Amino acid sequence: MIPVDRSKFIAINIGLMLVGFISLAIRYANISPHPMVISLFEGVGIGLIASGAVNLADRLLAERPKNRHVELTTLQRKTTPTKIHERKFEAKKFDGMGVTLDGCLRDLARPQMINHILLEDSRTRLLFVHPDANFLSQRFAEDGFRSVEVLKNRQKESIRLCVAIYRALKIRYEIEKSHGNLDKPRGKLFIKIALLCPYITIERYDSDMYWGLYTSDSDGESSPLFLTSRAHSPDLYDKLHAHFTTIFDLNGNQPDRLRLVQVDLDGVSIDRDIVEKILGQEETERLLPIEKKNTQ
């Protein structure tokens, strides 16, 4: 069968149906009194109308979106379209979880995201792995690093990014307060680190959950990314959401789940003690020269 593109297919079958209606119009106009001619126009008309209608119905029904539990977004997470990551700038609820979230953290430091957090009704929650997590001793080889220290240093760089995010938020917050534009932050931000394995990576934008597995055969960025939407698969979406919140919401009183940066009605804060334990006193004093304790 010769393939025909969608627009030509529709045009051809609409044309068949029009010819069929014309044939029926001729038949009922009694142009010829001969019974065989009348039957011919009637048969041709009905046949063409039926063929065109069936073809169109079959094509359009086949194009209907399927109710899929899981949709493959990309075979490699490093090729994820930028427009997906940029959804965080407008999402009312954005969640992120993974071994490392360097790209996401860099996005958070951008002025557009700083405004979104402080000035808009939004909630952002992020969780990545602590540089001292035992899990990294397994993951460094799977991710192709030469040693676990290389991976630990990458995680420490994420801590530095969090400090930069905090400082950008703090400066903007104080400016808005001094101008009388903002009394308390309108949005919320929670960045936490964990000593446990997250099992999967998650980017949730409102009702869409992008997620992927950590497998031993390849690094995370070379693994597939899937999409599960609440509208199409509420049960699986809720399961993935429950996994995230179970790991994240227990952070407060658990020794293996640590709160690093926070924005809420009390203002903008960072846990200086965590930063100092990870980066050391000298670097912490250079990155956070003013604060002596947690800033509120």
Side-chain angles (χ1 to χ4, degrees), residues 1 32 42 56 59 78 84 128 147 153-154 158 183 233 294:
M1 180 181 293
S32 172
E42 184 174 9
L56 285 175
R59 178 68 176 260
K78 60 187 174 185
I84 292 178
F128 63 93
S147 70
N153 288 334
R154 186 183 71 174
S158 294
D183 180 29
S233 182
N294 291 3

Side-chain angles (χ1 to χ4, degrees), residues 87-97 101 104-105 107-108 113-114 116-118 120-127 165 169 186-192 204-206 244 248 261-264:
R87 292 184 61 180
K88 65 173 64 70
F89 300 129
E90 298 180 356
K92 294 197 67 174
K93 293 183 178 179
F94 166 54
D95 295 331
M97 180 175 72
L101 299 174
C104 178
L105 293 172
D107 280 345
L108 254 66
M113 195 65 189
I114 297 297
H116 188 54
I117 293 169
L118 290 176
E120 299 176 13
D121 181 17
S122 64
R123 188 199 66 195
T124 298
R125 302 182 297 182
L126 301 178
L127 179 73
I165 291 167
L169 287 164
R186 298 191 181 99
K188 295 180 180 180
L189 167 68
F190 306 96
I191 302 179
K192 300 179 182 181
R204 174 210 172 193
Y205 304 102
D206 296 320
F244 176 87
F248 194 89
V261 179
Q262 183 164 313
V263 176
D264 56 16

Side-chain angles (χ1 to χ4, degrees), residues 7-23 44-45 47-53 55-56:
S7 58
K8 288 182 179 179
F9 181 88
I10 293 175
I12 289 171
N13 284 281
I14 290 178
L16 289 176
M17 293 173 67
L18 287 175
V19 173
F21 283 117
I22 293 172
S23 295
V44 169
L48 291 176
I49 293 172
S51 297
N55 288 340
L56 285 175

Side-chain angles (χ1 to χ4, degrees), residues 44-191:
V44 169
I46 294 174
L48 291 176
I49 293 172
S51 297
V54 169
N55 288 340
L56 285 175
D58 182 65
R59 178 68 176 260
L60 295 176
L61 286 173
E63 292 177 348
R64 289 178 61 186
K66 296 178 175 60
N67 186 9
R68 297 175 179 172
H69 294 289
V70 177
E71 178 181 330
L72 177 63
T73 301
T74 177
L75 284 172
Q76 295 187 320
R77 294 202 284 270
K78 60 187 174 185
T79 63
T80 301
T82 303
K83 64 181 181 180
I84 292 178
H85 297 309
E86 290 178 346
R87 292 184 61 180
K88 65 173 64 70
F89 300 129
E90 298 180 356
K92 294 197 67 174
K93 293 183 178 179
F94 166 54
D95 295 331
M97 180 175 72
V99 174
T100 186
L101 299 174
D102 285 1
C104 178
L105 293 172
R106 291 189 180 92
D107 280 345
L108 254 66
R110 293 169 59 178
Q112 185 178 359
M113 195 65 189
I114 297 297
N115 291 342
H116 188 54
I117 293 169
L118 290 176
L119 306 178
E120 299 176 13
D121 181 17
S122 64
R123 188 199 66 195
T124 298
R125 302 182 297 182
L126 301 178
L127 179 73
F128 63 93
V129 175
H130 193 295
D132 294 332
N134 292 331
F135 169 66
L136 297 184
S137 297
Q138 170 190 342
R139 191 62 207 172
F140 87 90
E142 297 168 343
D143 271 348
F145 290 100
R146 295 188 304 275
S147 70
V148 68
E149 293 303 320
V150 177
L151 181 51
K152 287 183 176 182
N153 288 334
R154 186 183 71 174
Q155 301 305 100
K156 289 181 180 180
E157 186 60 31
S158 294
I159 302 297
R160 297 183 183 99
L161 288 171
C162 289
V163 173
I165 291 167
Y166 160 74
R167 294 185 65 178
L169 287 164
K170 187 70 173 177
I171 291 172
R172 181 61 189 274
Y173 178 53
E174 295 299 333
I175 291 174
E176 293 296 330
K177 283 181 65 178
S178 66
H179 291 168
N181 298 329
L182 191 66
D183 180 29
K184 298 178 180 180
R186 298 191 181 99
K188 295 180 180 180
L189 167 68
F190 306 96
I191 302 179

Side-chain angles (χ1 to χ4, degrees), residues 272 275-276 279-289:
R272 183 186 178 90
V275 176
E276 188 169 322
L279 299 181
Q281 182 178 357
E282 182 178 348
E283 183 172 0
T284 301
E285 289 179 351
R286 186 172 69 253
L287 295 175
L288 296 169

Side-chain angles (χ1 to χ4, degrees), residues 264-284:
D264 56 16
L265 294 178
D266 293 328
V268 181
S269 64
I270 189 169
D271 192 319
R272 183 186 178 90
D273 292 338
I274 294 178
V275 176
E276 188 169 322
K277 287 178 181 177
I278 295 173
L279 299 181
Q281 182 178 357
E282 182 178 348
E283 183 172 0
T284 301

